[in-house]
Amino acid sequence: MSDLKATVTETKTDSHVGFHVEGYEKIEYDFTIMDGVFDVKNSQLADCYKKWNRCLAVTDLNIYNVYGSQMEKYFEHYGLELVVHKTKIGEKAKTMPTLLSIVDSMNEFGIYRKEPVLVVGGGLVTDVAGFACAAYKRNTNFIRIPTTVIGLIDASVSIKVAVNYGNYKNRLGAYHAPIHTFLDFTFLRTLPVAQIRNGFAELIKISTCSHLDTFNLLDKYCEQLIEKSFGRSDGSSQELIDAADRINREAIHEMLKLETPNLHEIGLDRVIAYGHTWSPLHELVPETPLRHGHAISIDMAYSATLANSRKLISDEEHHRLLNLFSRAGLSMDHHQFDEEVLAKATTAILKTRDGLLRAAVPSPLGSCVFLNDVSAEEMNAALRRHKDIVKNYPRNGEGLEAYVDASDTGYTENAKAEEEKTVEAAAKKAGQLNGANGHVNGVNGHSKNEVKLNGLNGHVDEKDGSLNSTNGHVNGGNKNVIGVKA
């Protein structure tokens, strides 16, 4: 919500008469951390819609396939009409046409000026739907329920909303705050491991440059956090649950403290821009885009090597940071991250940052400085050194499941919630599901690709197969379209 206070004064000089306007806008919005936002025992969300007696929700189709029934029962329980716009949003579809499809639904629904749209999904969905709300009637309210680690930790904190344009991320957008955000980490139970890992990068980002205590916890519990969905999956120890909750709360709080004095990015030296100097261009360079977490991890790892070359972080800190990326399965390098891309990305970010590089780098670990005096020669030398260093790490510094797939793009629909139970039961009974060119192992099976099926632990075994989530079969196809997201 906003409350604009402004004054108008007349100005006079020898040559002209005019007016000066000075205004201050109050921005306020709330966060509620809770488990079970769609549990009928929790009325907080329904209370936001009692005035209107109805709700227009925008959600990712895959999220709806898993949680749609629960959403509908929740609003029915409170006597509220629910209309759902189901969309498919990935980096390639984070575009104006996708935004306009949401606007069509808002128009058909007949949204009142102050009536909030409910947006449920990952950062891609909240970005596009939030921008649609910013544009519709110039200012339409919305309530945000993020469902991914990136959405919960990063996108939920910012008031930035946007779509991609051409080969550039978030080139068109606005600053538009939701009136409320519900943070429910139980959504992580059905989130694929690849997406948990993807969001883990954002936690490395904020902790490396601003919160050493959180970095230490990430370093201590890295593998457990990823494998056990931040303590939300079955079998999580109380120690892990407590550590995960502390990490999440403190990271969000730290992000808010850093962002709220600069919500409209009037100040361009931003700590949370660590990892976002060269990645905005490089993320979309590969034919199949990199996942956002992997793209910023490459940027962060390279930036750390640049900082180490300048003795801003010690060799021990440098190794510790790179080792955390590696243990998390995040990318530290990519064959297309070369001197040409580095130069193009630098040119692009200089325009965004008003002519200065403003590259955030750790100095030392847990704090941050901004570099503006890095020459092309120094960048290239650091890049060559970085590539030599990461060759000593597993996979030569490459990440696991680094490219977007069905769980990012929405191009492949997930099985519905009730079908999930059928697939699980069949997998348990038969031990495997036979397909044309491969098989899906049972619930406790293992895989080269570690791909989750709707939050279960059945995995795709064929490297070049793609999963048809409707019939549970594996068919030959694009290796980058493997796995489905709950």
Side-chain angles (χ1 to χ4, degrees), residues 18 28 38 64 76 121 169 258 293-294 312 323 375 409 412 466:
E28 57 180 351
F38 294 127
Y64 181 80
E76 182 181 357
K169 280 181 64 66
L258 290 168
H294 286 266
L312 297 174
N323 193 48
S375 66
T409 63
T412 301
S466 64

Side-chain angles (χ1 to χ4, degrees), residues 68 83-84 95 118 149 151 287 304 345 358 370 374 382 409 415 481 485-486:
V83 174
V84 182
T95 59
L118 178 63
V149 179
E287 183 177 355
R358 306 179 196 270
F370 301 93
V374 187
T409 63
V481 192
K485 166 192 171 187

Side-chain angles (χ1 to χ4, degrees), residues 279-347:
S279 64
L281 185 140
H282 180 245
E283 183 170 340
L284 301 182
V285 166
E287 183 177 355
T288 301
L290 288 164
R291 285 191 164 107
H292 179 68
H294 286 266
I296 67 169
S297 291
I298 292 168
D299 189 318
M300 287 190 284
Y302 165 70
S303 297
T305 299
L306 180 62
N308 175 248
S309 296
R310 286 195 169 199
K311 307 302 181 185
L312 297 174
I313 58 174
S314 66
D315 291 346
E316 181 181 355
E317 289 175 315
H318 185 213
H319 174 72
R320 187 183 179 199
L321 180 52
L322 296 186
N323 193 48
L324 181 57
F325 284 120
S326 181
R327 289 167 55 206
L330 288 164
S331 301
M332 293 188 286
D333 192 25
H334 187 274
H335 66 277
Q336 288 179 288
F337 187 58
D338 55 22
E339 292 183 7
E340 181 181 357
V341 166
L342 201 61
K344 289 181 178 179
T346 300
T347 299

Side-chain angles (χ1 to χ4, degrees), residues 104-301:
D104 287 340
S105 288
M106 294 167 67
N107 200 49
E108 183 178 345
F109 188 78
I111 286 285
Y112 288 96
R113 189 62 179 263
K114 298 297 182 181
E115 183 179 9
V117 175
L118 178 63
V119 183
V120 185
L124 292 169
V125 176
T126 57
D127 269 5
V128 179
F131 190 18
C133 290
Y136 191 76
K137 296 182 179 179
R138 298 189 182 94
N139 184 3
T140 296
N141 288 332
F142 74 112
I143 291 172
R144 187 165 50 186
I145 301 179
T147 60
T148 64
V149 179
I150 286 183
L152 287 157
I153 298 296
D154 185 64
S156 69
V157 172
S158 172
I159 68 169
K160 295 183 294 183
V161 291
V163 297
N164 297 338
Y165 178 75
N167 210 36
Y168 295 94
K169 280 181 64 66
N170 302 326
R171 185 50 57 97
L172 304 176
Y175 299 99
H176 187 53
I179 59 174
H180 205 110
T181 298
F182 290 92
L183 300 174
D184 182 357
F185 285 88
T186 62
F187 285 111
L188 301 187
R189 292 172 182 164
T190 53
L191 194 67
V193 170
Q195 290 293 356
I196 300 289
R197 178 182 296 113
N198 192 33
F200 196 88
E202 295 288 357
L203 288 165
I204 295 179
K205 175 192 76 174
I206 190 64
S207 62
T208 298
C209 280
S210 190
H211 207 271
L212 186 58
D213 287 345
T214 297
F215 184 91
N216 290 336
L217 287 172
L218 294 175
D219 198 15
K220 181 177 180 179
Y221 295 101
C222 173
E223 291 84 356
Q224 295 180 62
L225 289 166
I226 294 172
E227 293 168 6
K228 293 293 186 181
S229 302
F230 280 80
R232 298 301 175 177
S233 65
D234 294 339
S236 298
S237 67
Q238 190 60 48
E239 179 185 353
L240 179 64
I241 293 170
D242 292 343
D245 287 350
R246 180 181 171 188
I247 288 167
N248 294 332
R249 285 195 304 269
E250 293 189 356
I252 291 170
H253 193 196
E254 189 68 20
M255 292 269 282
L256 284 169
K257 287 189 291 184
L258 290 168
E259 279 289 88
T260 48
N262 192 33
L263 285 173
H264 290 83
E265 294 185 3
I266 296 172
L268 298 178
D269 289 340
R270 302 171 62 241
V271 173
I272 67 168
Y274 176 48
H276 292 70
T277 299
W278 298 282
S279 64
L281 185 140
H282 180 245
E283 183 170 340
L284 301 182
V285 166
E287 183 177 355
T288 301
L290 288 164
R291 285 191 164 107
H292 179 68
H294 286 266
I296 67 169
S297 291
I298 292 168
D299 189 318
M300 287 190 284

